Amino acid sequence: MRKVKRLLLLPLAAILLALATGCDDNNIAAPSFIHIDKIELRQPSVNAVSADSGFYTSDIRGAFILMKRKGVAHEDTIGLFALPLTAPILYSGEVDYIEVSPAVWQSGQANAMVYYTFYKRITVEDCVLDVGDTLDLGTLSTTYDITLNDLYFFEPFEPTEGDILFDSVMTWMADDPDGARSGRGYGSLHLPDSMPYVRSMVTRSFIATDPSKIIYLEFDSRSDVQYSIFLRASANGGAENDYSVVNIYPSDEWKHLYINLGKTWAWVNHAQEFKLLVHALNLDGNQGGEVRLDNVRLITTSKVL
């Protein structure tokens, strides 16, 4: 059983909730609370694709919470909350378990926070909730819930992992720990001021035969210029074309992105074979820069929420 801390306080949310029920004391239903500071990703103990623990970067922004009360057959849906969270619970008593599902910003959009099925759900068992008290779960941890068959591709840009799997347009900065998101290396796509764009492509094709599966491209990014992710495929068995997946805006800081390829893959009739490209864009016509990528992974699963 996980040990948890209790915060003996009544947050403002409790006061507001009490006021919303009316002024009659007999009608007030005082809640208890669950608090989570953050959820961290740790290196898997099995099926780890990289021996470098720094490869397992993440940006878990929220959590779906379910609760199973003692003696009750069904689960209660508490809701989706942004981290850090303090969730009011209109219940006091023993709890069989609280289930926490890590959620992320899909394609970097705050209004598209989804349960990331590649991460294991977190279960906290045998808890007690008390009216006016906060069950403080602190910092939780999760890991990947995938098999090696779910992994299409990974590129940590580390010297210990062999040659990089992007074409020669992508410069492999193999020994620049100060410039990398983690470890010693990263990929750099240089866009000169005089060029409208530069394009780099992963040197292998990906085979995906099951349209029911979810496919995500996940990576760390830091960029001086806007760039785009493209999927190259033949939609109807004819010539290959490039299809835009997402545009990514400049960022001075490293950010972790979760890109759902499903919509674009469906647009090309779930082509069994596709490639991935990165286009750095000179939108002003005279301002180039660098696109840095690190800890790239392409993974799939058939699991749903």
Side-chain angles (χ1 to χ4, degrees), residues 31-289:
S32 54
F33 296 86
I34 296 173
H35 178 79
I36 301 173
D37 288 319
K38 60 181 178 179
I39 302 175
E40 297 178 335
L41 179 69
R42 55 182 170 81
Q43 184 179 8
S45 58
V46 296
N47 295 330
V49 300
S50 174
D52 177 15
S53 60
F55 174 74
Y56 298 95
T57 52
S58 65
D59 187 17
I60 299 172
R61 295 296 190 102
F64 288 93
I65 300 178
L66 297 176
M67 182 182 72
K68 170 70 167 56
R69 291 173 287 161
K70 183 75 72 175
V72 177
H74 63 273
E75 295 176 329
D76 298 314
T77 300
I78 307 304
L80 169 63
F81 302 87
L83 291 167
L85 68 85
T86 301
I89 312 293
L90 294 178
Y91 172 72
S92 178
E94 296 183 36
V95 176
D96 283 336
Y97 59 83
I98 297 168
E99 185 179 79
V100 181
S101 301
V104 303
W105 286 5
Q106 182 172 258
S107 301
Q109 299 179 34
N111 62 347
M113 189 159 62
V114 298
Y115 164 49
Y116 198 54
T117 60
F118 303 101
Y119 292 158
K120 287 186 177 180
R121 290 184 168 105
I122 304 158
T123 303
V124 181
E125 298 179 321
D126 300 327
C127 303
V128 177
L129 295 174
D130 293 326
V131 168
D133 288 354
T134 298
L135 186 65
D136 185 7
L137 301 181
T139 297
L140 301 176
S141 65
T142 186
T143 190
Y144 275 105
D145 188 15
I146 60 175
T147 68
L148 294 180
N149 291 330
D150 296 328
L151 182 71
Y152 282 138
F153 164 82
F154 77 102
E155 177 53 78
F157 292 103
E158 295 302 317
T160 56
E161 302 287 352
D163 297 332
I164 71 168
L165 300 177
F166 283 81
D167 62 25
S168 59
V169 180
M170 181 76 69
T171 302
W172 181 19
M173 308 298 292
D175 191 17
D176 182 13
D178 292 335
R181 168 61 177 85
S182 63
R184 305 192 65 84
Y186 59 93
S188 177
L189 188 59
H190 176 67
L191 175 62
D193 295 346
S194 58
M195 295 185 64
Y197 70 91
V198 294
R199 178 182 64 195
S200 179
M201 182 172 65
V202 178
T203 56
R204 57 166 292 188
S205 297
F206 303 104
I207 307 299
T209 59
D210 186 351
S212 69
K213 288 184 176 291
I214 304 167
I215 301 178
Y216 266 85
L217 174 66
E218 187 181 343
F219 59 95
D220 293 296
S221 165
R222 179 181 173 187
S223 178
D224 303 323
V225 297
Q226 183 174 321
Y227 68 97
S228 300
I229 303 296
F230 280 80
L231 186 149
R232 176 176 291 181
S234 170
N236 297 295
E240 290 185 332
N241 290 294
D242 295 345
Y243 300 88
S244 177
V245 177
V246 64
N247 294 320
I248 299 167
Y249 295 105
S251 173
D252 293 333
E253 304 292 331
W254 283 100
K255 57 183 179 180
H256 193 82
L257 295 171
Y258 303 84
I259 310 299
N260 189 341
L261 299 183
K263 183 176 182 180
T264 307
W265 190 36
W267 182 258
V268 296
N269 298 322
H270 295 103
Q272 293 190 8
E273 183 174 346
F274 63 87
K275 298 175 182 176
L276 291 175
L277 302 93
V278 181
H279 287 213
L281 307 171
N282 190 343
L283 298 179
D284 294 333
N286 59 2
Q287 184 175 352

